[in-house]
Amino acid sequence: MTTASRTSIAPQQVIQWHSNFLQLNQARLDAARSLLLPRQQLVLDVLPLLLHLNHPRLPGFIDFRTAAGIRNYSPTQQQLQSLQALARGVQIPRGSGGGDILGLYLMGSIGSLAQARSSDLDMWLCHDETLPPQALAGLQQKCQLLERWAAEQGIELHIFLMNLTEFRQGQNRSAEGEDCGTTQHLLLLDEFYRSAVWLAGCMPRWWLIPNQEERNADRFWQQLADQHRVNPVQWLDFGAIPAIPPAEFIGAGLWQLNKGLSDPYKSLLKLLLTRHYASQYPVIRPLCWDLKEQVHNGNIELQPNDAYLLLLRRITQQLEQEGNLERVQLARRALYFKAQLPLSQLGPSQRSSWRTAVLQALCHDWGWQDAQLAELDARPHWSPQRIASERNSLISEMLSSYRFLSAFSQKYAPRLHISKQDMQSLGNQLYAAFDNRPGKIVNINPGISPSLAQEKITLNLQQDIWQLIPGLVNPVTDSLRPDHILKQSPSLTELLCFARLNGLLQDHTRIALYPQHNPLSAYELKQILQVVQGIQPPQPDHADFLQPAQPLQWHLLVNVGVDPQHHLSRLGMQKISNRDDALGFSAARENLVLTIDLVTLNNWGEWQVERFSGDACLLHCLQHLLQHLPKVAEQGWPQWQVHCHCASRAAAIRHRVEQVLQDVLGHFVEQPRSPYLLEVAECYYLLENTRRGVELRIADTPMKLLALLQRPARSFIQYTLDRSALQNSPLQLIFSHSKAGLWQLFYWRKDGRLYFYFLDEKGVLLHQQWPDTSSDPHSLPWLLPLLRFLRQLDQRWQRLNGRSQERKIMLWELRRKAQSFDFEIARRRLPELAAQTTSIDLRAVLNSQQQATLYCNGQEFNSWEYGSDLYPAVIRTVQALRSSHGNYPLALSDLELPDNQNIITHLQIRQRLENRLAQAQQDAE
C-alpha cells in the first residue's frame, strides 16, 4: 500500500476499529466473570485497583514507596463497588492518573470456550522501563503477595512483569517460568494478541494497525500520530508480527512437548498450530491476523473470535485437507477436554451457560453422539488400558509434530531461537518422559486422568511371563482377552514398579495371584510390595536436566518369585550345610542366586528395571553397575540396597550379595586396574577394567581359568580374589605372594604328579604338570634345567634392554596342611650358581613361521637339512656328549623367538619342543 493510500484511512475508521476491539474486550471480560464464583469475580474486579493503590488495608501492601499507579486508568463502577466490598471506606486519591504501571492484560484461556472454573489467570504487567532495580524488586514482591491472596480466594494468579523494550527484542525470561522462555517470542506475541483481555492502562496499538501494514507498523503508527488520530500516551507497542522466523518453531515445539507432560491436550493444540505455521513457511499468516481482520470488518461476536476456536478451525482445516481424520478427532478431543465441560453430566447452572451452547453446537457439527460424549466424560474413570491407548495417540502425534519441526528447523534455521541451556534442559526432559526402551517404566497417564488407583489387581504367571491385569480376573475360569492385560514382562518387579509409578498401587489395593500353585508366595509378594512402595524416587528440578542422566539409587531384588531349592521345598524340606556361601552352597557348590532385578532411579526421575538371570546373573549385574565407574571419583557410587525374600535361605543370599557388592565396588574404586576373581558354583568369573570398560571373562573349568591367568600383560597385574574364591586351591597362596619384577616358581607334589606354577614379573601365571619321577621328596630333577633356561633368557634380555641387575628368582613349595584341605607354603633355596651350569648347551631358535632350528654346542640342526630326522639327530648328538650316556629327557637351555621377550610364551614353547624331543626319544627306544 502506498503512502497516499495509508493517509486516506478516514478518522472514523480508526475510531470504529478502536470501538470494535473495546466491545470484544468487554464481551470477553463479561464472559470470564460469568464463569467465576463471587469471590473470584471480586479478585478480577479489584486487581487493577490493588496495583493502582498502596493502602495498608488492601492486599499486597508493603509500604507507600512501592511502585504503583496505572497510567490512564479510570476505575469502572463495578470495580469501585468491589473495592468497597473488600475494604469499605478506601478512597482513590485525586490525580492518580499517572503512575509506574503502563498497563494490565490477561491472556490465555480467559473469556474463551477453554476457560473453566479451574483455569488460572496469567496477567502481564507492563511497567515504566525507567524504574530502578530496587523499585522493580518491590513491585515483584507486591505481585507475589497478590498471587498468594488470590489463591486464598480460590483463583490461581500469575503476574509477569514486562519490560516492553526487552520483550520486543525477544529477551523475555528463561524456560523455567510460565512465559515460555527464550523458546519463542513472536509465537507468544501471536497468542497474546488473539487471546488478550485488556484490564487497565494503555491499550495495545496493534489493535489499530491493519494486517497489510504489519511490516510497516512503525511508519503507519507515526502517521496516525502525526494526523492526531491517536494519542500515543494511551497506547503501548508490544511489537508487530509481519512474519514468524523459522528459528522459533523448534523451541516452541520443545516447550509445548514439555508442557504436555502435565497438560497434554492444551499443548497438543498449540503444537499442531506451530506445525501448521511451519508448513506455511515462508508465507505464514499468524492466527491473530484472522482475529484482527474479523474485528476490523465489524465481526465482534464472542464465538467467531474465540481464541481456541480460531486455533481449532485453522488446524483442523489443514488436517482435513491431509485426509487424516483420526488426527482431526484427536484435536477435537483435545479442545473438548480443555474446556472441562462434560456435556453428558451437566449441572443445573451449566445448562444455561454460553459455553454449553457453543460446545453442544460444535459436537453436533462434528457428529458426536450421546454415547460418545458419555464415554469421553467418563475419562476420570477410564481403565488403565484406555488411558494407555490415549497416551500412545497423544505421544505419537506430539512426537510426530516435533520431528516435523525439528527437520524443518534443521533445513531453514540452523541457528535456533533458544538458549543452549533451555535446549539442553527441555530436550533432556523430553527424553526422560517420552523415550521408551526395554525395562523403562513409562508414565502412561500424563495428565489424562486424575488417578489410576485400582481397588483390585490381578497378577498372572503364564509360561514364565508375568501379566498385570487391572481388576479381578480369574484366568482359569474367566475368558482372558489380550485387552485385559495392561502390561506383561518376565520380571514381576518391572510390573510392580510400573504399577507403583503410575499410581495403580494404593495402600488398599488387593492383589489376586494366579495360578494358585505359584512359585511366588503371598508372603514374598507382600514383602516385595513393601520394597517397591518404600522406594523414595528423586524429584528432579531444572538444574538436574542440565546434567547427563546419572543413577542415584540402585535396588537389587534377588530371586523374585524364584525358589533356589524348589526341588526340596516342594517336599517340605530344606538342605542344611555348614558351607553357607550362597554362591557355592553345600558340598554340591550350588549357586542360590538365580535372578536379579535391578531397579535404577536416576537424576532425571527415570525408573529402569534390568533383569539378569542364570548362574552368572550376579556377575552380569556387577558388570552393568561397574559401567558407572568412570563417574565414581566425581560423584561416588549411587545409594544401593539388596532385597531378598525367596522361600529358601533369603537372609544368607541377601547378605552374600551385599558382601560381593561392597567388596567389588570398593575394590574397583581403590584398585581400578586390578582384576577381581569370583567363584560361583563351579565356574570362575574375572572382572577386568579395560579401555572399553569393565569386561567379564568366564571360565567354566579350572583349566580354562588357568588359560585366562596366563594371558600376556602390558603391566603388572595384582589379582584380587573374592573372599570365597579358590578355597582349597594353591592359587590363593600363589597370588598372595605375587610381586612385580620377580620370577617365582611354585611346585606341588601329589599322587605321582608334579604341579608347577610360574609367576612372571607382571603377575601372569603359567601352570604346567608332568609325572613326578623322583622317589626322593627333596630331589627336584626338573629344577636345574629350568633355572639354566631362565638364567640364559634373563642374561640375554638384560643385555638387550640395558638392565643393570639380573632378575631375582624365588622358589616355593606348596603342601597340604595335615588333616586339612588348606595349603601352606614354604620357601626353598635355589641351587648354587655353579650347579646351574652345564657342559651341554641345547638352544632353539624359531623363525617367523614358527619353524625351529636347534643348536647343540654350536652344531646346527635345521628342518630343511634333516627333515623328519631333525629331533632324532639332536637326541643322538646330545646322548653322545653326555658323560654318563644316560637316557633321561632332554632340556633346552635357551630359546629365541622373533621380537618376543615374554617369558610365559618362552616357557610354553620350551615345553612343546621338549615334548617333541621326548616323543622322538621314546620312539627311538
Side-chain angles (χ1 to χ4, degrees):
M1 181 178 287
T2 64
T3 302
S5 63
R6 285 199 295 271
T7 57
S8 65
I9 295 177
Q12 187 60 37
Q13 181 68 79
V14 177
I15 295 172
Q16 186 61 53
W17 290 343
H18 183 193
S19 176
N20 290 351
F21 264 108
L22 286 177
Q23 291 181 66
L24 176 60
N25 190 80
Q26 188 60 48
R28 285 180 168 178
L29 200 54
D30 293 341
R33 289 186 83 258
S34 70
L35 300 174
L36 300 176
L37 298 172
R39 291 173 64 194
Q40 297 171 325
Q41 290 177 353
L42 184 139
V43 173
L44 184 59
D45 291 340
V46 301
L47 258 180
L49 286 165
L50 298 181
L51 288 161
H52 188 61
L53 303 175
N54 277 326
H55 195 286
R57 293 176 56 196
L58 294 179
F61 177 76
I62 300 174
D63 56 42
F64 291 104
R65 294 171 297 176
T66 305
I70 303 174
R71 295 185 187 177
N72 307 317
Y73 174 52
S74 297
T76 66
Q77 191 63 35
Q78 178 65 53
Q79 290 171 337
L80 291 173
Q81 290 176 1
S82 297
L83 177 63
Q84 293 304 307
L86 179 65
R88 184 173 299 278
V90 173
Q91 299 297 322
I92 301 177
R94 292 184 179 181
S96 57
D100 301 319
I101 298 173
L102 306 182
L104 302 178
Y105 315 87
L106 297 175
M107 67 169 293
S109 61
I110 189 74
S112 74
L113 178 64
Q115 180 186 348
R117 287 261 172 99
S118 60
S119 296
D120 54 4
L121 295 182
D122 289 340
M123 188 173 78
W124 286 9
L125 185 157
C126 298
H127 58 80
D128 186 340
E129 297 172 14
T130 64
L131 284 177
Q134 185 176 359
L136 276 178
L139 182 58
Q140 181 72 67
Q141 183 183 357
K142 178 171 183 173
C143 290
Q144 292 170 352
L145 293 175
L146 290 177
E147 289 174 349
R148 295 174 194 166
W149 170 75
E152 294 170 358
Q153 311 309 309
I155 193 164
E156 185 177 349
L157 172 66
H158 304 282
I159 304 176
F160 303 101
L161 301 188
M162 304 291 291
N163 180 314
L164 284 187
T165 299
E166 293 180 355
F167 179 78
R168 287 192 298 268
Q169 295 171 352
Q171 297 175 0
N172 49 310
R173 299 182 181 88
S174 72
E176 293 182 75
E178 292 286 333
D179 56 355
C180 305
T182 62
T183 59
Q184 49 196 309
H185 170 63
L186 291 179
L187 287 170
L188 175 63
L189 187 58
D190 172 46
E191 181 183 358
F192 171 77
Y193 281 147
R194 70 175 181 266
S195 68
V197 175
W198 168 66
L199 278 185
C202 301
M203 293 165 284
R205 81 175 197 184
W206 178 84
W207 283 4
L208 304 186
I209 298 176
N211 289 337
Q212 62 270 24
E213 298 293 347
E214 286 274 5
R215 290 177 176 80
N216 307 296
D218 289 341
R219 187 189 311 168
F220 181 82
W221 185 257
Q222 188 59 50
Q223 288 179 345
L224 291 181
D226 291 345
Q227 297 170 6
H228 304 289
R229 300 185 185 184
V230 296
N231 182 358
V233 300
Q234 296 179 346
W235 302 87
L236 287 182
D237 177 20
F238 288 84
I241 311 183
I244 300 175
E248 289 208 6
F249 296 132
I250 184 63
L254 280 169
W255 176 258
Q256 293 304 333
L257 282 168
N258 276 273
K259 294 288 284 183
L261 302 181
S262 57
D263 194 349
Y265 295 108
K266 175 183 176 181
S267 295
L268 177 66
L269 291 172
K270 293 185 178 181
L271 187 63
L272 288 173
L273 178 65
T274 306
R275 178 173 180 173
H276 163 71
Y277 282 165
S279 68
Q280 287 187 319
Y281 185 81
V283 183
I284 299 174
R285 178 182 174 86
L287 197 54
C288 63
W289 284 19
D290 292 357
L291 170 73
K292 183 159 60 174
E293 185 176 87
Q294 291 181 166
V295 175
H296 279 196
N297 290 335
N299 184 349
I300 57 175
E301 296 296 323
L302 199 60
Q303 180 177 346
N305 294 303
D306 186 287
Y308 275 84
L309 292 183
L310 285 170
L311 187 157
L312 183 68
R313 189 180 307 131
R314 180 77 77 87
I315 60 178
T316 53
Q317 283 175 354
Q318 177 171 344
L319 294 177
E320 286 172 343
Q321 290 172 1
E322 295 173 358
N324 195 324
L325 298 182
E326 182 55 38
R327 293 175 65 201
V328 171
Q329 291 299 320
L330 183 60
R332 289 171 175 170
R333 287 203 303 276
L335 179 66
Y336 185 83
F337 290 139
K338 181 70 179 71
Q340 298 183 44
L341 190 62
L343 295 181
S344 67
Q345 304 169 8
L346 294 174
S349 62
Q350 292 175 315
R351 293 192 182 97
S352 58
S353 166
W354 64 270
R355 293 173 68 239
T356 299
V358 171
L359 194 57
Q360 284 177 332
L362 282 174
C363 292
H364 181 268
D365 293 341
W366 299 339
W368 287 7
Q369 304 298 319
D370 291 345
Q372 185 174 359
L373 291 174
E375 195 268 340
L376 294 177
D377 294 339
R379 180 166 63 110
H381 309 291
W382 277 357
S383 69
Q385 293 93 326
R386 175 69 178 88
I387 290 172
S389 174
E390 184 77 355
R391 181 257 184 197
N392 291 340
S393 297
L394 284 166
I395 298 306
S396 175
E397 182 58 42
M398 294 172 81
L399 291 181
S400 172
S401 296
Y402 171 71
R403 285 190 289 268
F404 172 86
L405 294 173
S406 180
F408 171 86
S409 293
Q410 290 177 11
K411 181 177 181 180
Y412 293 108
R415 296 185 62 185
L416 298 178
H417 189 72
I418 177 174
S419 74
K420 290 183 178 179
Q421 278 200 343
D422 282 355
M423 186 75 171
Q424 181 181 2
S425 177
L426 295 174
N428 287 342
Q429 288 181 60
L430 284 183
Y431 185 87
F434 296 144
D435 175 58
N436 202 353
R437 57 187 181 272
K440 167 77 175 289
I441 307 301
V442 174
N443 177 15
I444 64 171
N445 184 29
I448 299 173
S449 178
S451 173
L452 290 184
Q454 300 292 301
E455 292 186 5
K456 300 174 183 177
I457 288 177
T458 300
L459 293 173
N460 181 45
L461 181 61
Q462 184 72 28
Q463 297 179 346
D464 296 326
I465 301 296
W466 285 98
Q467 299 171 336
L468 174 64
I469 305 169
L472 190 59
V473 177
N474 187 334
V476 178
T477 59
D478 300 339
S479 178
L480 185 62
R481 303 191 310 269
D483 62 319
H484 284 154
I485 302 168
L486 177 59
K487 187 174 179 62
Q488 52 188 348
S489 169
S491 169
L492 176 63
T493 303
E494 181 180 348
L495 298 189
L496 296 179
C497 287
F498 174 87
R500 157 75 197 282
L501 183 64
N502 283 281
L504 281 77
L505 282 177
Q506 301 296 319
D507 293 337
H508 62 273
T509 304
R510 293 169 50 202
I511 297 181
L513 198 58
Y514 290 97
Q516 291 183 349
H517 299 291
N518 200 299
L520 179 72
S521 67
Y523 169 80
E524 185 181 356
L525 176 60
K526 180 181 178 181
Q527 297 301 311
I528 297 170
L529 281 171
Q530 288 182 359
V531 171
V532 172
Q533 292 282 55
I535 293 175
Q536 298 299 321
Q539 300 299 322
D541 56 22
H542 179 76
D544 289 309
F545 291 105
L546 295 176
Q547 306 297 325
Q550 295 294 339
L552 298 181
Q553 297 179 33
W554 286 327
H555 295 268
L556 288 80
L557 286 84
V558 184
N559 291 348
V560 173
V562 174
D563 181 0
Q565 295 186 328
H566 64 93
H567 53 291
L568 296 175
S569 299
R570 286 202 306 265
L571 303 175
M573 301 168 60
Q574 191 174 82
K575 185 182 292 185
I576 298 175
S577 172
N578 58 2
R579 183 179 176 86
D580 203 28
D581 179 11
L583 302 181
F585 181 70
S586 76
R589 307 297 298 274
E590 296 177 80
N591 175 19
L592 303 184
V593 179
L594 301 181
T595 69
I596 295 179
D597 290 320
L598 173 65
V599 183
T600 302
L601 283 74
N602 67 19
N603 57 318
W604 290 359
E606 293 180 291
W607 292 48
Q608 179 78 29
V609 179
E610 271 105 2
R611 181 172 176 82
F612 305 92
S613 60
D615 284 335
C617 67
L618 176 58
L619 279 302
H620 288 298
C621 181
L622 282 171
Q623 185 183 16
H624 179 83
L625 299 182
L626 288 168
Q627 292 176 358
H628 189 62
L629 185 61
K631 304 283 186 175
V632 171
E634 177 185 350
Q635 301 171 355
W637 289 112
Q639 298 177 1
W640 56 268
Q641 283 185 282
V642 179
H643 313 272
C644 183
H645 303 283
C646 63
S648 301
R649 312 198 69 80
I653 293 171
R654 186 191 73 251
H655 176 68
R656 183 68 172 107
V657 174
E658 287 175 342
Q659 215 175 52
V660 170
L661 256 70
Q662 191 74 45
D663 292 346
V664 171
L665 298 184
H667 164 77
F668 278 101
V669 171
E670 297 173 1
Q671 305 178 61
R673 299 190 181 278
S674 173
Y676 196 94
L677 180 67
L678 294 103
E679 185 177 354
V680 179
E682 295 181 340
C683 278
Y684 305 92
Y685 301 91
L686 197 62
L687 289 164
E688 294 181 313
N689 193 12
T690 71
R691 294 180 179 179
R692 297 179 296 274
V694 176
E695 297 186 355
L696 177 64
R697 316 286 185 191
I698 302 176
D700 57 5
T701 66
M703 293 309 296
K704 289 181 180 179
L705 171 64
L706 291 169
L708 278 178
L709 299 176
Q710 72 182 27
R711 292 169 300 151
R714 293 184 177 181
S715 57
F716 178 70
I717 299 175
Q718 179 71 59
Y719 287 98
T720 300
L721 308 184
D722 176 65
R723 62 186 68 195
S724 295
L726 299 177
Q727 290 186 355
N728 308 323
S729 167
L731 296 185
Q732 269 196 345
L733 273 175
I734 291 172
F735 281 125
S736 69
H737 285 75
S738 179
K739 293 181 181 179
L742 302 183
W743 283 349
Q744 299 188 74
L745 288 66
F746 303 82
Y747 67 94
W748 172 38
R749 286 172 149 160
K750 178 189 177 186
D751 300 334
R753 301 288 294 177
L754 189 135
Y755 299 88
F756 170 73
Y757 303 90
F758 180 86
L759 264 181
D760 76 358
E761 74 279 6
K762 295 178 181 177
V764 178
L765 179 71
L766 173 71
H767 167 68
Q768 294 176 346
Q769 55 177 294
W770 50 78
D772 188 2
T773 57
S774 175
S775 58
D776 182 357
H778 301 292
S779 174
L780 301 173
W782 53 271
L783 180 59
L784 282 174
L786 176 60
L787 287 174
R788 294 186 194 113
F789 181 80
L790 294 176
R791 293 294 185 197
Q792 282 284 91
L793 291 179
D794 184 55
Q795 289 171 8
R796 186 170 72 251
W797 293 344
Q798 185 179 347
R799 291 192 304 271
L800 289 173
N801 300 328
R803 185 160 33 91
S804 60
Q805 293 182 341
E806 65 179 20
R807 197 174 300 281
K808 185 177 181 180
I809 301 176
M810 300 179 69
L811 178 66
W812 306 85
E813 181 181 4
L814 298 161
R815 294 180 301 195
R816 293 273 194 196
K817 292 181 180 179
Q819 297 181 344
S820 172
F821 290 103
D822 295 334
F823 279 86
E824 60 184 5
I825 192 168
R827 176 83 177 271
R828 294 289 179 246
R829 295 184 64 179
L830 294 174
E832 297 296 332
L833 285 176
Q836 296 182 29
T837 60
T838 179
S839 60
I840 302 176
D841 179 33
L842 182 59
R843 186 165 59 94
V845 178
L846 266 65
N847 61 19
S848 58
Q849 284 76 41
Q850 299 295 304
Q851 292 179 326
T853 300
L854 284 83
Y855 297 85
C856 180
N857 286 357
Q859 182 179 352
E860 180 178 325
F861 298 86
N862 55 61
S863 58
W864 52 88
E865 180 178 353
Y866 288 90
S868 60
D869 194 42
L870 172 64
Y871 293 105
V874 172
I875 291 169
R876 290 192 296 271
T877 301
V878 171
Q879 288 179 340
L881 292 173
R882 286 175 173 171
S883 58
S884 63
H885 300 285
N887 202 25
Y888 50 86
L890 277 67
L892 289 176
S893 54
D894 197 1
L895 171 65
E896 287 189 41
L897 304 178
D899 300 323
N900 190 310
Q901 293 188 24
N902 187 319
I903 184 61
I904 299 295
T905 304
H906 281 72
L907 288 172
Q908 289 173 321
I909 294 177
R910 172 183 180 264
Q911 185 178 41
R912 187 163 67 242
L913 292 175
E914 289 181 351
N915 287 342
R916 290 179 182 175
L917 288 167
Q919 184 63 48
Q921 190 173 2
Q922 184 178 350
D923 292 342
E925 295 174 356

